[in-house]
Structure formats: C-alpha cells, structure tokens
Amino acid sequence: MPQFHPLRARADFLQLKKAKAVRATHFIVQAAATQPPQPFVRIGFIITKKIGNAVVRNRIRRRLKAALQSCTNSDKQLLHHGWDYVLIPRFEVLTLPFAELEHGLALALQKFRLHPST
C-alpha cells in the first residue's frame, strides 16, 4: 500500500490542472507523475465553498480519504508511487452510499493504471 502525503502547494495544484483528468459521476480525478519521481503518493482535494460550509466540506474530505484507503487496501495497485492526485468531488458524495463511492473511485483510478503516461 502506498504512503500518502498531502498535496498543499498552490503551484502543485495548478500543475495538475493541466494534467490528465478522469470524470466520474460524482467527482473528477486529476493525476500526473511528479518530477523528479518520489517514493510516495501525494493526494489533494479541491472542495469549493459552493458545496457547503466547513463542516460539510470536511465530511466529504473524510469520506474520500476513507474510500481511498479502502480502495488501496485491495490487491489491485490503483495508485502509482511518484504521482500526484487531486480529487474534486460534487455535493452528492456526501449522501452517496459508501460502497458506490468506493466503486466509482476504483473505476476512475483504474483508468490511470491503464494509461499511466500523461
């Protein structure tokens, strides 16, 4: 299982804005390889104030982190070492059944596994 590090610098988020994006029903996943390659995975979240107040945004963030943990606990290698990922959820992620959230996230991440070059 890869080790997660937070993606916090604005420049990193702006760089990923130009990267490959996979649109799922309830969120968007952007990913790109880091330069130089790192031995860990960096993950960031973009949750706008349009979605709700701080309580709602943090609940969505916690749900996404839990879904990422459970997706990466499986035998499939969905996240690549040396890559940055950004998740941009919609409001529906808050009320979506957790199993459906995991499944959608796993499908989106598999698309990056099939085409890892950006």
Side-chain angles (χ1 to χ4, degrees), residues 39-67:
F40 48 80
V41 175
R42 295 192 309 173
I43 297 182
F45 301 95
I46 298 176
I47 306 173
T48 65
K49 289 185 178 182
K50 290 180 187 178
I51 290 182
N53 62 13
V55 174
V56 171
R57 293 192 308 266
N58 285 327
R59 284 186 64 203
I60 290 173
R61 187 176 294 112
R62 285 192 305 268
R63 283 184 60 114
L64 286 172
K65 284 183 180 181

Side-chain angles (χ1 to χ4, degrees), residues 12-31:
D12 295 331
F13 280 96
L14 291 176
Q15 184 179 7
L16 279 170
K17 189 174 184 179
K18 302 171 192 169
K20 180 181 176 184
V22 172
R23 298 186 193 289
T25 309
H26 303 289
F27 50 84
I28 299 170
V29 179
Q30 297 172 333

Side-chain angles (χ1 to χ4, degrees), residues 94-113:
L94 186 62
T95 58
L96 194 66
F98 193 73
E100 194 174 329
L101 177 62
E102 286 178 319
H103 180 69
L105 189 58
L107 287 177
L109 292 174
Q110 278 180 345
K111 291 181 182 179
F112 288 111
R113 187 172 59 102

